[in-house]
Amino acid sequence: MIKNQQLPQIPKKTMDRFLEYLRFTKAKKHIPKGAYLLDVGTGDGSFLRFLNGHILSGVGIDPLITTTIHSKDWTLQPGTFPQDFHTEGRFDVITLLAVVEHIPDDELHQVVDTCWNHLKPGGRVIITVPHPFVDKILDVLKFLKIIKGLSLEEHHGFNPEVLPDVFCRWKLIKKERWELGCNYLFIFETDL
């Protein structure tokens, strides 16, 4: 069992946790029970813990993690995806929840290629990404100290509408705007 002090200490406010919970519940509906999952940008691994009992096992990677952490059902790895990702094997699902808006445009194709190489046939990539206008809302919430808004400075006005073109090797099986149009959900699937 992992002790909390071993987990990365990522500061979050109640609103940060609530927004995170909304993303988690949105994504979980599309993750098959018993899946082997890779969570890119896992932060403190809270999504893997949220999926406790739903997935068979998982791996999370994040630059805020300083040491590899193992539990019975998941592993957290330090580093940036894909540069520091060296796990062998293929996953049923790869999640990028509130992550692609942090990836520089010139590095996104590297992320796509690595996802392609680590996804099983019939596997899914699940992405949540905010609409670019949300950055202004988040800036206000951060100024008012309602959210901690970790790494907002990395947002670069990413246009979610380009994702079907970037993930063109996959079949787009779902595209949805939710949270009053503030966020997008994309689900891409490989052929069997």
Side-chain angles (χ1 to χ4, degrees), residues 35-82:
Y36 182 39
L37 183 129
L38 169 61
D39 185 31
V40 177
T42 197
D44 60 5
S46 53
F47 185 52
L48 292 169
R49 291 192 309 277
F50 177 81
L51 294 173
N52 184 32
H54 184 77
I55 60 172
L56 179 63
S57 64
V59 175
I61 184 167
D62 197 286
L64 298 176
I65 298 171
T66 57
T67 186
T68 301
I69 301 168
H70 298 281
S71 85
K72 186 179 103 183
D73 299 321
W74 46 261
T75 300
L76 301 182
Q77 298 178 357
T80 302
F81 185 84

Side-chain angles (χ1 to χ4, degrees), residues 159-170:
N159 177 7
E161 294 292 342
V162 305
L163 284 174
D165 293 330
V166 175
F167 282 83
C168 59
R169 294 182 194 173
W170 287 271

Side-chain angles (χ1 to χ4, degrees), residues 1-111:
M1 182 56 109
I2 300 298
K3 296 179 180 169
N4 285 337
Q5 64 267 23
Q6 292 177 311
L7 292 171
Q9 299 300 308
I10 298 176
K12 297 177 189 173
K13 293 190 174 263
T14 302
M15 183 59 80
D16 294 300
R17 292 182 195 286
F18 175 69
L19 295 173
E20 193 176 67
Y21 174 78
L22 293 175
R23 283 192 301 275
F24 293 176
T25 56
K26 186 59 112 173
K28 182 181 177 181
K29 296 178 207 173
H30 305 285
I31 298 171
K33 189 151 177 62
Y36 182 39
L37 183 129
L38 169 61
D39 185 31
V40 177
T42 197
D44 60 5
S46 53
F47 185 52
L48 292 169
R49 291 192 309 277
F50 177 81
L51 294 173
N52 184 32
H54 184 77
I55 60 172
L56 179 63
S57 64
V59 175
I61 184 167
D62 197 286
L64 298 176
I65 298 171
T66 57
T67 186
T68 301
I69 301 168
H70 298 281
S71 85
K72 186 179 103 183
D73 299 321
W74 46 261
T75 300
L76 301 182
Q77 298 178 357
T80 302
F81 185 84
Q83 296 85 345
D84 302 315
F85 187 70
H86 305 295
T87 298
E88 295 298 321
R90 292 179 167 245
F91 297 87
D92 300 300
V93 177
I94 299 174
T95 54
L96 296 106
L97 307 181
V99 169
V100 295
E101 68 273 18
H102 298 268
I103 301 170
D105 290 337
D106 60 341
E107 294 177 21
L108 189 55
H109 285 285
Q110 244 186 317
V111 170

Side-chain angles (χ1 to χ4, degrees), residues 104-143:
D105 290 337
D106 60 341
E107 294 177 21
L108 189 55
H109 285 285
Q110 244 186 317
V111 170
V112 171
D113 290 343
T114 305
C115 286
W116 181 261
N117 293 331
H118 286 282
L119 200 62
K120 290 179 182 177
R124 291 182 172 175
V125 175
I126 299 174
I127 300 170
T128 64
V129 58
H131 189 282
F133 73 73
V134 171
D135 287 348
K136 292 178 181 24
I137 296 168
L138 294 175
D139 286 340
V140 170
L141 293 176
K142 187 173 181 177
F143 176 78

